Amino acid sequence: MPSTRSQDWREWLKVNLLPARATLPGITVDVRGLIIMGREDVTDSAREIRDRHSANDRIEIRTYDWLLRAGLSADSTLPGLLDTETGDLDRDW
């Protein structure tokens, strides 16, 4: 099975974890990813693809509209947007 770009990134991170931590302290090989792209579509035809990436690769795909809504309602003292949404509140990033 061909590798996905997320698997390529994670493989690179496994090999280069210490240098990566020089600029991204605390990063791990299973770090979550976030892709912001496009605008919302009322049909939500890409939900299955987004759910698969979220489950398999720990990559969340969100729209620009989601980012705007989340930013407007965010409190800077609260955990990150994805931490709250995915329930990863106990992780120390």
Side-chain angles (χ1 to χ4, degrees):
M1 176 163 89
S3 70
T4 65
R5 292 209 181 253
S6 64
Q7 290 168 334
D8 292 345
W9 168 252
R10 292 191 195 289
E11 200 56 43
W12 180 91
L13 198 50
K14 284 179 190 176
V15 173
N16 297 284
L17 187 58
L18 290 178
R21 284 187 173 164
T23 54
L24 301 167
I27 194 169
T28 64
V29 294
D30 67 342
V31 67
R32 287 181 307 180
L34 173 62
I35 297 171
I36 304 290
M37 61 188 287
R39 303 297 300 257
E40 288 181 353
D41 176 356
V42 294
T43 65
D44 202 16
S45 59
R47 174 165 292 286
E48 183 180 321
I49 295 168
R50 288 194 313 268
D51 291 347
R52 185 174 52 235
H53 280 291
S54 178
N56 295 342
D57 301 326
R58 291 181 47 87
I59 295 176
E60 302 295 329
I61 301 172
R62 299 290 184 256
T63 64
Y64 178 70
D65 299 299
W66 170 86
L67 182 62
L68 287 177
R69 277 193 314 276
L72 290 173
S73 66
D75 178 348
S76 63
T77 63
L78 295 176
L81 298 172
L82 284 179
D83 295 328
T84 302
E85 188 175 279
T86 61
D88 269 350
L89 297 174
D90 61 338
R91 290 249 173 142
D92 181 21
W93 303 104

